[in-house]
Amino acid sequence: MELFLKIAFLRYIGIYLYNFFNSLSLSLSLSLSLIHTHKQHPFSEQTPRTNMETSTNTSTGTSEVSDKSNRYDRQLRLWGDHGQVCLEAAKICLINATATGTEILKNLVLPGIGSFTIVDGNKVTGADVGNNFFLTKDSIGMSRAQITTDLLMELNEEVSGDFVEELPEKLLENNQEFFNRFNLIIATNLQEKPLLQLASLLEASEIPLLICRSYGFIGYARLVVSDHTVIESHPDNSHQDLRLDRPFPGLVEFCDSQNLENMSKKEHSHTPWLVIIYKYLQKWKEENGGEMPKTYKEKTLLKEMIKNGMLKNENGITEEEENFEEAIRNVNTALVKTSIPSEVKKLFEDPTLQDINIDSKPFWIMLQAIKEFTENEGNGALPLRGTIPDMTADSNRYIQLQNVYRDQALKDADVVLHRVQDLLQRIGKEEPIITPKQVDLARKPPYCSITEQDVKLFCRNGSFLRVIHCRRLAEEYDPKTAKVQELAMQLGDEEDSDIVFYIMLRAADRFFEEYSRFPGWYNDQVEGDVYKLKTHVGKLLQELSLTSTLIKDDYIHEMCRYGASELHSIAAFMGGMLAQETIKIITGQFVPFNNTLIYNGMKQSTITVEL
Amino acid sequence: MAINIFFFFSSFTLLASPHTHTHVPTINDAGSVNFSANQSHFYLFFYLPGFFFTPNKGKDLFIIDNKMDSEWSDRWSHLKKILERTGPFTHSDFEPSPETFNFLQESFRILVVGAGGLGCELLKDLALLGVGNIDVIDMDIIDVSNLNRQFLFRPKDVGKSKAEVAAEFVNTRVLNYFDESFYRQFHMVVCGLDSIVARRWMNRMLVNLLNYEDGILDQASVIPMVDGGTEGFKGNARVITPGITACIECTLDLYPPQINFPLCTIAHTPRLPEHCIEYVRILMWPKEHPFGENVAIDGDDPSHIQWIYDKAIVRANVYSITGVTYRLTQGVVKRIIPAVASTNAVIAAACATEVLKIATSCCAPLNNYMNFSDTDGIYTYSFEAERKEDCLACSQIPQTLHFTEENKLRDIIDYLIESASFQMKSPAITTLISGKSKTLYMKTVKSIEEKTRENLKMSLKELGLSDGSEIYVADQTTPTSITFKLSLTSQMEK
């Protein structure tokens, strides 16, 4: 009975969560009524929408049926259809179905990951059921892998799941090949030795590893991925790419065709501010020996010039011209010198570019092409992004101006495309470039092709390209290569840096290795364990050549209080965050953390350190 | 464990669950539903939407009372370590003992407001943290009233939408059904809402519950509120101790202003695909009535969206504007906020952790605001939001409005809507004229609106208001009306 009900609820939240922002009662009652017809697809009755969606979706290149774009509507607005395609193709492995582990999977199953596999050799305990939503009282004593798999699958019928009832440590010994079939592996509550073993195994096959654990009020996560490239990092704030300091021919031509002196009042007040700044900038340069205004004072003078250019009525009173106001407001940002962002410059120096070969990922091939572009046709600038912000203007001239930028961007992208083709020939890839199909650029070799669309997307995001190289886990654990200075700085400088919990967790693992239990596991040993843990903390610090005074006894006490308990809300917090990190890696969009994260639930704070 | 669920929404009454036949709950006279024992608390979650309701014979409040199920060994062992052991970082009030857990299970009672994305997570998190009595208000109504935001985007003279009417209808019912004594029953309130208006309403309700004796706050009247909100990959969680720490109204300026396309752009100089969609929504729909005279736009009706999409495409083509898609059309019409399960999970979890801390003192609570974002790495930022000295809700300072006698009533209304510190939605104004209550303007009830519309153009003097007069303002953002004193100067003095 209980199982049945839990399943019913899972189904409820599963469907509900897709719709949770469809806040109208209509959609809510619709989704609710679907609980009972879950075999059917949620919107299958709504044929009008189906037809329509397929017809409108053709432009995106996917022929996904309508129900999917309805179900995933709210997230498709974040990572797009192409992100969803990656997600639906992904195979994820979870090691140990702890509360933290299943919470991560829950937030991956809901948005529609391809498939998951749970590896867990444990039987369900009463304590497990107490903190894990995907277990039931009835399942005590049964396979934890199996029960959690069953209940997780109830969340989304699009997702397939299976399980291996075996201790991961054993599987690592007996069947290393097993792990190679996944796109990403999530490991929770794995001990140091098997963890290092798994990390080195995955390193060889270039499979990203996400390590996670919840411990009392503390959460810990570590990402191990050798080379993660991001084209669409979706920055929150970014400078426009307007090139007013180095106008391209199309822009010059367009601006020259505009004569502010000679316009009707209506035209004058509907001239895009880009043109206005361009005009007054030319004037400024004429009067100042061709120099741009650089200082604050000079920019203020330019603003004055623009202000004086506003129309006046017959009484000499300045008319209200929103476009001129906008121009004045935008002087500072619009005159920022066109340059290559430092992040991207750093990428141009990446050693990977020295050795572009037939196995290189499309990202690096396109990066090399862009680099060559900046050194040649681009004259030190990236390909033009090709978009302009909205501004007060009449439709006609705004669209014209938009096209001016768009056309130049296409020209730049075309040059890059040719450079990509040359590069491919040089490295001995015969394949023709243009195939109008979506490929996942973040994937490992072998790649079939780079499409024209890919190059355009790459150029559009030229300023936002990112690469994450995580240090190897072995480097972190080996005292010779550990980032001791980083640790010392964190522990020493800020008195209460949460990084102290990193040391605590490492020490707790050492404790476990010696006593086969975590410090404070049993109520009657808490006090005694404090001293034992303190010894391990001391030893660890010594190995890392850190002074033991860096760590207050309070933290050792707190650690023993936790007794390796896994609080559900801490697990749920980590579950949300790490699901998102997984999605970032799978879709190749947004930027993952690098590489160690500590969450302190006491203070609701997180800290990210590269260890 | 008991989880009480309150529904306002009569549409639910039509939903019968095929599963109920396996375990038909009985409804007693008090409107309380008893399940037989030996059921998991999850049972209730399931019944939350699908529960069989009888039509409301004056009874819209249902309590589902689930008896505690039989325990099993070690069930709470994770939690009990935290609650039964002392630690260096606990709150000074903390006393480790099994009693703390018993309190959480037996006595502690929390109200969860909103059973949407965040609310769902909250229920799960709280239940698995051992919270024994959870009451849920499905604020679907307030989600609906959330659509009032659409009104903000809309020029003032365009007719009301169906949703707006529904929202006001329901808001009135909230007022009727849940008075202060209802909220007083709880130790704490946790909100998982996607509506700012609903949050403000709840915040004010809790502020109204505060008792002051000789200007001293009676601590027993304080009900803490934990509030979470998400949008895309961003979210925040905060702890509000009404009367002691910053409340929602104190920090109203944290909410970003609504983006509003000027009507003249939409009508005459469209540049973006959004302008074309808004043109169809705002100007063409009320003119053409494509689905009948009184049919307002329903964002969930595909044929409505399709109509708007088709027309928007035509308009876009006229101006060579590219980028009108079905998805964009739907997004603009429904004011869709992108959302993912993961951000909701994070924020709900942070809220649940705060609830545990406050309920048990096992750790000092967040002081008092946390921002979260994970587009570029993972980022959190906590800070102490400060109380506003003259906060409209939680300060004891009387509110004064400064106008001239020649100002029109509309000026007051516009000010209440546009001012950053009030941000009201559709304020209704009444006053006392020679001891009699007189409604000066009320937008929400059609017949009254028609009768009072003329007042908008009248000066305050003409309406009989003078320096020192009091006006009473009702709005969706507050459960009770707010008294403002008018400070009026004559034009001469100015």
Side-chain angles (χ1 to χ4, degrees):
Chain A
M1 185 61 220
E2 191 204 24
L3 177 69
F4 164 70
L5 290 164
K6 206 155 177 180
I7 289 171
F9 174 57
L10 293 173
R11 213 159 266 159
Y12 155 61
I13 63 162
I15 295 167
Y16 189 70
L17 284 177
Y18 309 128
N19 295 296
F20 60 76
F21 271 87
N22 293 6
S23 44
L24 285 168
S25 64
L26 180 75
S27 69
L28 184 56
S29 42
L30 173 69
S31 62
L32 298 181
S33 61
L34 285 163
I35 298 163
H36 321 305
T37 56
H38 61 274
K39 293 282 179 210
Q40 236 181 323
H41 212 284
F43 293 95
S44 52
E45 305 110 308
Q46 300 189 327
T47 39
R49 187 178 282 205
T50 309
N51 299 338
M52 181 175 68
E53 276 291 291
T54 25
S55 67
T56 55
N57 263 352
T58 42
S59 58
T60 62
T62 54
S63 56
E64 291 298 323
V65 278
S66 71
D67 12 297
K68 253 187 197 164
S69 39
N70 279 319
R71 162 183 275 192
Y72 299 132
D73 180 81
R74 299 306 183 269
Q75 68 200 42
L76 292 177
R77 290 168 196 275
L78 293 167
W79 53 69
D81 294 301
H82 58 300
Q84 189 68 22
V85 169
C86 298
L87 204 58
E88 289 176 20
K91 298 188 277 288
I92 305 289
C93 173
L94 169 68
I95 293 174
N96 288 331
T98 57
T100 310
T102 53
E103 287 297 309
I104 300 173
L105 277 190
K106 160 180 147 287
N107 299 316
L108 290 173
V109 171
L110 286 172
I113 201 95
S115 70
F116 68 88
T117 302
I118 293 179
V119 178
D120 192 334
N122 293 291
K123 300 290 183 206
V124 178
T125 67
D128 288 341
V129 184
N131 77 352
N132 193 328
F133 186 64
F134 298 92
L135 292 171
T136 58
K137 186 184 161 194
D138 302 348
S139 61
I140 294 174
M142 292 157 81
S143 156
R144 194 164 76 172
Q146 183 187 351
I147 304 295
T148 50
T149 302
D150 286 350
L151 293 191
L152 277 163
M153 273 170 67
E154 296 295 338
L155 292 173
N156 188 347
E157 66 269 29
E158 302 282 333
V159 177
S160 56
D162 59 14
F163 64 94
V164 177
E165 193 189 350
E166 194 174 340
L167 289 174
E169 293 83 354
K170 283 248 175 70
L171 202 57
L172 267 168
E173 307 252 306
N174 306 334
N175 186 3
Q176 301 201 336
E177 268 307 294
F178 171 85
F179 296 98
N180 284 334
R181 68 187 75 166
F182 302 104
N183 300 90
L184 183 139
I185 292 179
I186 299 162
T188 69
N189 293 19
L190 211 52
Q191 288 301 303
E192 190 174 316
K193 258 184 209 153
L195 207 49
L196 285 165
Q197 200 185 343
L198 178 67
S200 83
L201 182 74
L202 297 179
E203 199 185 294
S205 42
E206 290 188 56
I207 297 170
L209 169 66
L210 204 44
I211 302 159
C212 184
R213 125 195 247 188
S214 305
Y215 200 108
F217 279 115
I218 304 304
Y220 161 85
R222 168 72 150 96
L223 174 64
V224 194
V225 57
S226 57
D227 169 24
H228 177 72
T229 57
V230 184
I231 298 170
E232 293 170 88
S233 59
H234 301 281
D236 278 339
N237 309 301
S238 61
H239 281 301
Q240 298 286 344
D241 184 14
L242 300 175
R243 308 282 166 108
L244 283 171
D245 58 330
R246 38 181 299 166
F248 49 92
L251 181 59
V252 174
E253 195 189 324
F254 179 76
C255 291
D256 285 349
S257 74
Q258 302 293 312
N259 188 350
L260 285 168
E261 272 83 51
N262 203 343
M263 283 177 183
S264 71
K265 192 175 152 190
K266 195 176 166 192
E267 266 184 307
H268 195 268
S269 61
H270 284 82
T271 304
W273 65 252
L274 256 170
V275 176
I276 298 171
I277 295 187
Y278 175 87
K279 290 280 182 193
Y280 284 93
L281 193 58
Q282 300 315 309
K283 216 169 162 185
W284 171 276
K285 280 158 94 174
E286 277 165 31
E287 293 167 9
N288 293 276
E291 288 292 313
M292 295 271 291
K294 290 188 188 82
T295 61
Y296 174 78
K297 201 180 157 193
E298 287 171 341
K299 284 177 184 169
T300 311
L301 285 171
L302 178 67
K303 286 182 199 175
E304 277 303 311
M305 277 170 67
I306 296 174
K307 200 171 179 189
N308 290 332
M310 288 166 88
L311 289 183
K312 295 187 175 59
N313 67 11
E314 56 272 20
N315 300 324
I317 312 251
T318 310
E319 299 269 4
E320 274 186 31
E321 291 193 292
E322 183 59 31
N323 56 335
F324 273 73
E325 306 276 356
E326 286 177 3
I328 293 164
R329 275 204 300 277
N330 279 290
V331 160
N332 287 340
T333 47
L335 294 190
V336 171
K337 196 168 173 286
T338 302
S339 64
I340 304 171
S342 56
E343 286 274 352
V344 179
K345 263 189 207 152
K346 243 193 326 199
L347 290 186
F348 285 164
E349 304 307 315
D350 198 291
T352 318
L353 286 188
Q354 304 301 318
D355 180 33
I356 295 288
N357 58 50
I358 193 152
D359 293 324
S360 295
K361 281 166 110 192
F363 181 93
W364 296 107
I365 295 170
M366 288 192 280
L367 186 70
Q368 176 63 26
I370 279 201
K371 186 185 176 191
E372 289 172 11
F373 174 91
T374 61
E375 289 161 355
N376 296 284
E377 298 87 349
N379 275 321
L382 290 167
L384 184 71
R385 198 177 307 156
T387 55
I388 55 171
D390 185 32
M391 57 191 78
T392 298
D394 47 76
S395 308
N396 192 18
R397 281 185 292 169
Y398 179 80
I399 303 294
Q400 279 177 15
L401 191 58
Q402 211 177 29
N403 287 334
V404 162
Y405 277 85
R406 193 175 288 167
D407 290 347
Q408 184 60 42
L410 288 176
K411 277 181 201 156
D412 287 357
D414 200 50
V415 174
V416 175
L417 182 69
H418 280 100
R419 291 203 164 271
V420 170
Q421 277 168 328
D422 288 350
L423 254 170
L424 287 175
Q425 270 182 1
R426 259 185 276 157
I427 59 176
K429 263 194 171 177
E430 299 290 318
E431 265 178 277
I433 229 172
I434 297 115
T435 40
K437 123 181 176 282
Q438 199 83 40
V439 286
D440 174 13
L441 304 171
R443 282 300 151 70
K444 301 193 311 284
Y447 311 94
C448 23
S449 53
I450 298 173
T451 70
E452 194 183 329
Q453 272 177 325
D454 297 336
V455 175
K456 282 183 191 160
L457 182 74
F458 201 85
C459 290
R460 245 195 339 266
N461 286 283
S463 307
F464 315 129
L465 302 170
R466 298 284 287 271
V467 174
I468 301 280
H469 293 296
C470 293
R471 273 167 43 95
R472 290 162 48 230
L473 200 63
E475 290 177 285
E476 177 193 328
Y477 275 71
D478 182 345
K480 287 192 216 86
T481 45
K483 287 238 177 150
V484 177
Q485 278 192 327
E486 177 75 39
L487 286 171
M489 203 188 71
Q490 288 283 345
L491 291 172
D493 267 14
E494 271 174 85
E495 223 186 312
D496 283 293
S497 165
D498 291 334
I499 212 68
V500 66
F501 288 105
Y502 168 78
I503 302 289
M504 286 296 139
L505 288 166
R506 289 277 305 269
D509 277 345
R510 300 280 184 89
F511 184 108
F512 187 90
E513 228 167 272
E514 183 170 347
Y515 303 103
S516 297
R517 61 177 164 83
F518 282 103
W521 185 257
Y522 298 106
N523 279 334
D524 54 355
Q525 293 175 342
V526 178
E527 279 309 306
D529 284 355
V530 169
Y531 295 99
K532 289 176 180 154
L533 180 61
K534 197 174 173 175
T535 313
H536 274 292
V537 170
K539 268 194 216 159
L540 180 65
L541 290 173
Q542 203 178 7
E543 273 174 41
L544 294 169
S545 322
L546 293 166
T547 38
S548 55
T549 49
L550 288 173
I551 287 175
K552 286 191 217 151
D553 280 357
D554 276 357
Y555 293 104
I556 294 168
H557 278 275
E558 183 71 0
M559 204 63 186
C560 291
R561 175 194 184 199
Y562 295 157
S565 60
E566 197 175 359
L567 284 179
H568 183 77
S569 61
I570 304 298
F573 192 100
M574 298 305 286
M577 275 197 314
L578 294 192
Q580 197 51 48
E581 295 310 297
T582 304
I583 290 168
K584 289 177 187 176
I585 292 163
I586 296 295
T587 59
Q589 296 183 41
F590 307 97
V591 187
F593 74 107
N594 184 14
N595 58 27
T596 301
L597 176 123
I598 300 285
Y599 165 56
N600 180 347
M602 293 187 283
K603 296 193 298 188
Q604 297 293 6
S605 58
T606 58
I607 181 171
T608 307
V609 208
E610 205 180 336
L611 293 178
Chain B
M1 159 170 284
I3 299 189
N4 300 329
I5 295 155
F6 304 95
F7 280 97
F8 309 123
F9 226 63
S10 47
S11 65
F12 286 128
T13 57
L14 305 172
L15 286 173
S17 158
H19 296 305
T20 48
H21 65 83
T22 58
H23 239 98
V24 181
T26 55
I27 302 176
N28 64 29
D29 290 343
S32 149
V33 185
N34 297 311
F35 290 134
S36 56
N38 197 24
Q39 285 163 15
S40 150
H41 45 268
F42 300 112
Y43 199 167
L44 285 161
F45 291 166
F46 167 64
Y47 273 100
L48 197 130
F51 177 65
F52 184 83
F53 283 94
T54 47
N56 46 331
K57 291 172 189 151
K59 232 191 268 171
D60 269 61
L61 181 140
F62 283 87
I63 301 167
I64 300 176
D65 182 15
N66 191 25
K67 298 282 173 275
M68 178 107 170
D69 44 21
S70 55
E71 284 289 345
W72 57 85
S73 113
D74 288 342
R75 178 174 182 180
W76 302 110
S77 64
H78 288 279
L79 184 64
K80 282 185 173 174
K81 283 180 185 160
I82 303 292
L83 298 184
E84 294 176 8
R85 296 174 180 182
T86 180
F89 304 114
T90 62
H91 190 274
S92 52
D93 292 345
F94 182 63
E95 278 179 37
S97 90
E99 281 313 301
T100 313
F101 176 73
N102 289 343
F103 167 76
L104 202 59
Q105 270 279 294
E106 305 293 336
S107 318
F108 182 68
R109 191 168 172 197
I110 188 166
L111 176 67
V112 176
V113 186
L118 274 170
C120 233
E121 292 278 346
L122 276 166
L123 291 177
K124 165 184 74 76
D125 293 345
L126 293 172
L128 289 168
L129 284 179
V131 176
N133 303 283
I134 305 172
D135 295 50
V136 189
I137 301 184
D138 189 296
M139 279 286 199
D140 199 37
I141 33 107
I142 294 198
D143 282 342
V144 174
S145 87
N146 190 10
L147 288 178
N148 280 1
R149 285 182 304 166
Q150 283 193 359
F151 169 75
L152 270 189
F153 287 86
R154 186 182 298 225
K156 285 171 186 144
D157 43 358
V158 175
K160 279 194 216 171
S161 75
K162 197 168 69 180
E164 200 184 334
V165 177
E168 277 140 18
F169 163 72
V170 177
N171 262 336
T172 330
R173 291 179 18 145
V174 174
L175 285 171
N176 288 346
Y177 281 96
F178 294 98
D179 56 6
E180 295 188 354
S181 64
F182 170 78
Y183 294 99
R184 257 188 241 285
Q185 307 171 81
F186 302 99
H187 292 96
M188 212 184 295
V189 171
V190 54
C191 292
L193 293 159
D194 63 352
S195 153
I196 294 168
V197 171
R199 258 191 207 101
R200 290 174 68 185
W201 192 94
M202 188 53 63
N203 174 66
R204 265 187 172 278
M205 175 49 90
L206 296 181
V207 168
N208 286 352
L209 298 185
L210 299 176
N211 281 336
Y212 287 90
E213 273 171 41
D214 303 326
I216 312 272
L217 177 64
D218 173 11
Q219 298 287 332
S221 67
V222 176
I223 299 177
M225 168 166 147
V226 178
D227 177 57
T230 66
E231 182 175 337
F233 295 133
K234 295 183 177 62
N236 68 74
R238 65 190 291 188
V239 174
I240 293 166
T241 319
I244 297 168
T245 65
C247 80
I248 301 268
E249 300 286 324
C250 290
T251 57
L252 210 51
D253 53 353
L254 289 178
Y255 298 118
Q258 301 284 6
I259 300 162
N260 207 346
F261 299 122
L263 191 58
C264 56
T265 300
I266 294 167
H268 306 298
T269 58
R271 301 175 297 269
L272 304 180
E274 288 87 347
H275 295 155
C276 303
I277 297 162
E278 287 293 67
Y279 178 82
V280 181
R281 186 179 73 83
I282 297 168
L283 298 167
M284 289 181 75
W285 187 284
K287 235 181 257 166
E288 302 199 10
H289 303 291
F291 294 85
E293 193 64 32
N294 287 316
V295 181
I297 297 171
D298 178 353
D300 288 314
D301 186 332
S303 55
H304 289 194
I305 299 291
Q306 183 71 32
W307 189 85
I308 297 171
Y309 168 63
D310 290 340
K311 299 286 172 192
I313 284 274
V314 172
R315 185 166 172 83
N317 287 340
V318 171
Y319 291 94
S320 311
I321 294 168
T322 53
V324 176
T325 62
Y326 185 84
R327 186 176 291 159
L328 183 73
T329 307
Q330 202 177 27
V332 170
V333 172
K334 290 178 72 180
R335 306 287 168 214
I336 288 174
I337 300 165
V340 273
S342 50
T343 314
N344 279 327
V346 167
I347 294 303
C351 289
T353 301
E354 292 310 311
V355 169
L356 178 73
K357 289 184 201 172
I358 300 168
T360 66
S361 297
C362 68
C363 178
L366 169 69
N367 183 25
N368 50 34
Y369 200 112
M370 184 265 272
N371 269 322
F372 172 85
S373 165
D374 61 357
T375 41
D376 188 350
I378 292 168
Y379 170 85
T380 52
Y381 174 67
S382 304
F383 66 99
E384 184 179 349
E386 282 177 21
R387 287 188 76 181
K388 195 172 156 196
E389 218 167 287
D390 60 343
C391 172
L392 187 59
C394 73
S395 79
Q396 302 289 86
I397 296 171
Q399 301 290 324
T400 308
L401 294 175
H402 298 272
F403 284 94
T404 70
E405 291 176 332
E406 281 70 30
N407 272 117
K408 307 281 187 281
L409 184 63
R410 182 183 286 287
D411 296 331
I412 295 190
I413 303 238
D414 287 349
Y415 179 69
L416 291 173
I417 292 173
E418 283 157 20
S419 142
S421 46
F422 299 130
Q423 296 185 34
M424 292 191 180
K425 301 301 158 191
S426 51
I429 300 185
T430 52
T431 189
L432 285 177
I433 305 262
S434 25
K436 273 190 185 159
S437 170
K438 185 187 173 195
T439 302
L440 296 178
Y441 184 70
M442 182 183 283
K443 182 159 189 167
T444 51
V445 180
K446 203 179 171 203
S447 57
I448 304 180
E449 200 278 333
E450 281 163 4
K451 271 186 223 155
T452 57
R453 196 183 295 163
E454 284 303 306
N455 290 347
L456 289 175
K457 294 181 205 152
M458 289 167 71
S459 74
L460 301 180
K461 196 177 181 180
E462 286 165 336
L463 288 167
L465 295 168
S466 56
D467 187 38
S469 295
E470 283 188 344
I471 57 168
Y472 313 104
V473 179
D475 190 58
Q476 290 104 302
T477 56
T478 166
T480 50
S481 61
I482 303 163
T483 304
F484 288 94
K485 196 166 203 158
L486 288 180
S487 160
L488 296 187
T489 49
S490 69
Q491 196 80 25
M492 297 305 213
E493 292 171 48
K494 239 189 170 180

